[in-house]
Amino acid sequence: PKSSEPDSLHHLPVHPLWQSPLTIPGGTRQSPINIQWRDSVYDPFLKPLKISYDPATCLHIWNNGYSFLVEFDDSTDRSIIDGGPLENQYRLKQFHFHWGAINDWGSEHTVDCKFYPAELHLVHWNAVVYPTFEEAVMEGDGLAVIGVFLKLGARHEGLQTLVDALPAVKHKDTVIEFDVFDPSCLMPSCPDYWTYAGSLTTPPLTESVTWIIKKQPIEVDEDQLEAFRMLLFTSDGEEEKRMVDNFRPLQPLMNRTVRSSFQ
Ligand SMILES: COc1ccc(C[C@@]2(O)NC(=S)NC2=O)c(OC)c1
Ligand SMILES: [Zn+2]
């Protein structure tokens, strides 16, 4: 592939990573998308997003062979989000990242066609309406995912505690205990966000996500991005494949409007 664009592997009709077509037949609200700032519509009825996480609900970090996930105890309402575009409160289940092999790309969403080097997804589910996460994944209002862009800049001290643990989950299906972490330290200071109706970005690609994309990126430094890139897609003993470019190609906007919480 030309070095100026994401690996052409991502433009194949079926990417080996997913063994399935990139868009599900009849999919009308697939993710990720390009957010064209001037086409987003300010909605004065959007509320501020309320975030209250209990750092003690943090459980472990694991490498699932596609990203690394930090998982939380979601058996109670101790770590939740509310407000914003949401009609219920949603429980934090996990967060993970998507990133590129180089800093020119890596995010899943783009803003005015600009990629960021990485994107954080904080995954929450509607435990008010659905009995389990697995059921919520199948419902239009089942999930709420906060997307935060990462840009190259100053070292992020809060992220560093996570980066220091990554060598212990280098290989697919490795896990380590990680028992205190407050993901609110990864939130940008600016409250502004875009929101739209979308989907998971890996199989089962279900159209169950209310996306809340923060306008302001957080800054991380080169060493911290490089730490993501030393993770492996492969298990211990297999031929090593670096975990990079684990983002889905952009999907058609179809009949959707992206709303903004700001003017
Ligand atoms: C069966 O339930 C699933 C499956 C995959 C993911 C991961 C992902 O596809 N979704 C987002 S968001 N980014 C991703 O990579 C998931 O996260 C909510 C839930
Ligand atoms: Zn994701």
Side-chain angles (χ1 to χ4, degrees), residues 3 11 29 34 64 90 107-108 128 130 151 215 220 231:
S3 61
H11 298 298
R29 52 175 277 193
N34 173 54
N64 71 351
Y90 285 63
S107 58
E108 294 218 295
V128 170
Y130 305 109
K151 76 176 238 190
K215 180 184 83 175
V220 299
L231 293 169

Side-chain angles (χ1 to χ4, degrees), residues 28 47 57 78 83 87 110 123 141 148-149 153 155 176 181 192-193 210-211 233 237 239 257 260-261:
T28 59
K47 303 186 189 76
T57 56
R78 282 185 297 167
E87 286 171 23
T110 55
V123 176
D141 61 348
V148 181
F149 295 116
R155 177 180 152 111
I176 54 152
F181 185 81
D192 296 347
Y193 62 84
T210 299
W211 280 96
F233 282 129
E239 181 203 354
T257 300
S260 64
S261 70

